[in-house]
């Protein structure tokens, strides 16, 4: 059986976890959490990185930081994971869904401005498959209307847009270290705070609404409840696990990229003959090989291809029933303008197996099976 995903491990995870145990500090913000945050701050040149328990929680923190209140509107694509929307709905926002571009499956930047109303408080670009949205255009619109930009870069760790790391370009960025992502701690995430004005409040929200971080730095002589907050910090065990992977981030990235390119070359002829469509990477983007997908010509064809692959021992998956067509999506949001691409393109997309150290023999078998289906 060729599995769709195998969580990344480097071999050093258990060594670092044992080190954390020996340190005798297992709750959050110990040595390994600091190492991880420092890694992002140095390598990605970001103001402040704070590990969180998930990307979902990083998004929830962002909604609090952006001061989202009852009746505010937040713009995002409908083709995304539920947490992108839920984090804002939890604070009382209404979601305004905007159509995607068929080439990258990212929010269509040319449709954002017409979705803005006097209630719009935030835009949440989702970098699908680790391929960047048009951030220049999105930031230009946001600045013009004084709106916060929160990047859902759950899939985009190590990807770049015009030489800048995803998650460091908007006001706030959110990462996921779920086991299905490129770097993982089982469950985990991070919030990147790219504006000085948000830093102190982000620390407070993450520490149950207290100024505990300032207390530990000796900036106040006792700590107390000062704001909204929750417990968004992961334990040192998770941070130790993650650090073992960050240390080898380049190696993991190169390894995945090799598989991605092998799929892309292997399937090129099928695309040329018009059977499938392969991913497009815009010139200004360098991606992280988070995902390899192809697009079939119809939903029915995709269903048959999944079954065909399954019979040959290959696991393939689709995802994201567009949020605006779900029950909760209808209740908490609206689709602005016409759904030209979101539904139809999501029905054609199929994700192929791709993970760290995916064997070339297995990859070739997947490619072969897809050729057999079509030809
Ligand atoms: C994985 C993912 C999330 C959620 O990440 P968790 O760490 O599991 O909470 C959010 N948004 C997108 C686009 C994702 O792919």
């Amino acid at each position: 059986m060729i599995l769709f995903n195998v969580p990344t491990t480097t071999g050093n995870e258990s060594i670092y976890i044992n080190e954390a145990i020996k340190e005798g500090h297992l709750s959050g913000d110990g040595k390994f959490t600091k190492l991880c945050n420092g890694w992002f701050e140095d390598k990605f040149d970001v103001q402040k990185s704070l590990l969180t328990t998930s990307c979902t929680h990083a998004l929830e923190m962002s909604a609090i930081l952006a001061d989202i209140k009852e009746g505010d509107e937040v713009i995002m694509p409908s083709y995304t994971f539920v947490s992108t929307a839920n984090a804002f709905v939890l604070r009382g926002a209404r979601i305004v869904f905007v159509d995607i571009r068929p080439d990258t499956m990212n929010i269509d930047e040319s449709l954002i401005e017409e979705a803005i109303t006097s209630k719009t408080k935030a835009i949440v670009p989702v970098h699908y498959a680790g391929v960047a949205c048009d951030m220049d255009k999105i930031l230009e619109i946001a600045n013009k209307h004084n709106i916060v930009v929160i990047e859902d870069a759950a899939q985009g760790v190590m990807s770049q847009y015009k030489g800048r790391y995803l998650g460091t370009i908007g006001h706030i960025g959110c990462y996921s270290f779920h086991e299905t992502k490129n770097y993982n701690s089982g469950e985990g995430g991070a919030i990147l705070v790219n504006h000085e004005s948000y830093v102190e409040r982000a620390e407070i929200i993450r520490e149950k609404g207290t100024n505990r971080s300032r207390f530990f730095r000796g900036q106040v002589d006792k700590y107390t409840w000062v704001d909204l907050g929750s417990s968004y910090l992961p334990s040192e065990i998770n941070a130790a696990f993650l650090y073992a992977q960050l240390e080898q981030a380049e190696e993991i990235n190169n390894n995945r990229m090799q598989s991605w390119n092998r799929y892309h070359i292997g399937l090129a002829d099928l695309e040329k003959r018009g059977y499938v469509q392969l991913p497009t990477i815009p010139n200004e983007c360098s991606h992280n090989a988070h995902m390899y997908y192809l697009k079939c010509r119809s939903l029915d064809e995709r269903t048959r291809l999944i079954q065909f692959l399954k019979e040959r021992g290959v696991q393939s998956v689709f995802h994201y029933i567009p949020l605006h067509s779900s029950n909760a999506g209808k209740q908490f949001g609206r689709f602005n303008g016409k759904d030209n691409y979101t539904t139809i393109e999501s029905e054609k997309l199929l994700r192929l197996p791709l993970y760290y150290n995916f064997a070339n023999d297995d990859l070739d078998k997947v490619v072969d099976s897809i050729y057999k289906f079509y030809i």
Side-chain angles (χ1 to χ4, degrees), residues 347-359:
E347 288 176 351
K348 297 194 267 185
L349 188 140
L350 186 66
R351 301 178 61 183
L352 304 179
L354 176 59
Y355 47 84
Y356 178 52
N357 283 338
F358 184 37

Side-chain angles (χ1 to χ4, degrees), residues 6 37 56 79 108 180 205 208 216 257 281 293 358:
V6 176
N37 287 328
T56 301
Y79 186 68
D108 186 338
T180 52
I205 292 165
K208 300 97 178 162
F216 281 132
M257 199 58 84
I281 312 295
Y293 66 80
F358 184 37

Side-chain angles (χ1 to χ4, degrees), residues 64-318:
I64 300 173
L65 275 172
D67 256 326
I68 302 297
K69 301 254 163 50
E70 194 74 35
D72 289 344
E73 291 180 353
V74 177
I75 294 173
M76 65 182 65
S78 169
Y79 186 68
T80 184
F81 189 62
V82 285
S83 296
T84 319
N86 244 337
F88 297 90
V89 171
L90 277 168
R91 309 240 59 82
R94 277 196 72 71
I95 307 301
V96 177
F97 297 113
V98 166
D99 208 7
I100 53 170
R101 299 162 39 152
D103 60 345
T104 57
M105 304 298 279
N106 283 334
I107 191 166
D108 186 338
E109 66 281 356
S110 71
L111 300 175
I112 292 175
E113 197 150 25
E114 61 199 54
I116 292 175
T117 71
S118 58
K119 293 177 180 163
T120 308
K121 284 285 273 291
I123 302 171
V124 189
V126 179
H127 305 297
Y128 185 71
V131 178
C133 299
D134 187 338
M135 291 307 291
D136 277 353
K137 178 80 195 200
I138 291 170
L139 283 171
E140 183 195 314
I141 296 165
N143 290 336
K144 182 171 152 198
H145 295 272
N146 204 14
I147 293 169
V148 181
V149 174
I150 298 160
E151 296 177 71
D152 182 340
Q155 304 176 7
V157 182
M158 290 284 279
S159 293
Q160 295 186 343
Y161 170 81
K162 297 188 177 176
R164 296 169 72 190
Y165 284 97
L166 302 192
T168 72
I169 303 165
H171 300 85
I172 300 168
C174 301
Y175 286 162
S176 173
F177 307 121
H178 184 264
E179 70 166 30
T180 52
K181 303 302 199 300
N182 292 21
Y183 311 96
N184 85 98
S185 53
E187 301 273 358
I191 183 168
L192 304 191
V193 186
N194 306 318
H195 265 246
E196 180 65 44
S197 60
Y198 290 122
V199 170
E200 193 182 324
R201 190 154 182 241
E203 289 179 334
I204 289 168
I205 292 165
R206 179 168 167 274
E207 272 279 22
K208 300 97 178 162
T210 72
N211 54 359
R212 197 155 176 257
S213 298
R214 298 197 69 192
F215 171 72
F216 281 132
R217 287 196 293 263
Q219 292 165 330
V220 287
D221 55 16
K222 53 180 175 293
Y223 79 87
T224 174
W225 185 18
V226 292
D227 201 340
L228 285 179
S230 187
S231 186
Y232 290 124
L233 70 169
S235 88
E236 276 289 287
I237 298 173
N238 293 68
F241 193 102
L242 179 64
Y243 191 63
Q245 308 202 355
L246 294 182
E247 271 192 334
Q248 294 183 38
E250 293 290 348
E251 143 73 12
I252 294 168
N253 197 60
N254 293 341
N255 179 284
R256 296 184 72 107
M257 199 58 84
Q258 187 272 336
S259 296
W260 197 98
N261 288 329
R262 196 175 178 91
Y263 268 131
H264 210 54
I265 293 164
L267 293 167
D269 193 48
L270 262 193
E271 182 176 52
K272 224 188 302 163
R273 297 207 225 167
Y275 291 107
V276 297
Q277 271 182 296
L278 303 180
T280 308
I281 312 295
N283 282 337
E284 61 273 22
C285 303
S286 83
H287 71 108
N288 60 356
H290 172 59
M291 184 191 301
Y292 200 86
Y293 66 80
L294 56 76
K295 284 192 202 158
C296 302
R297 289 168 298 190
S298 68
L299 173 59
D300 172 63
E301 187 177 279
R302 182 181 73 178
T303 308
R304 286 185 291 110
L305 177 55
I306 292 172
Q307 185 58 30
F308 186 89
L309 291 174
K310 194 172 153 203
E311 283 158 13
R312 279 150 191 81
V314 177
Q315 239 182 17
S316 63
V317 305
F318 63 86

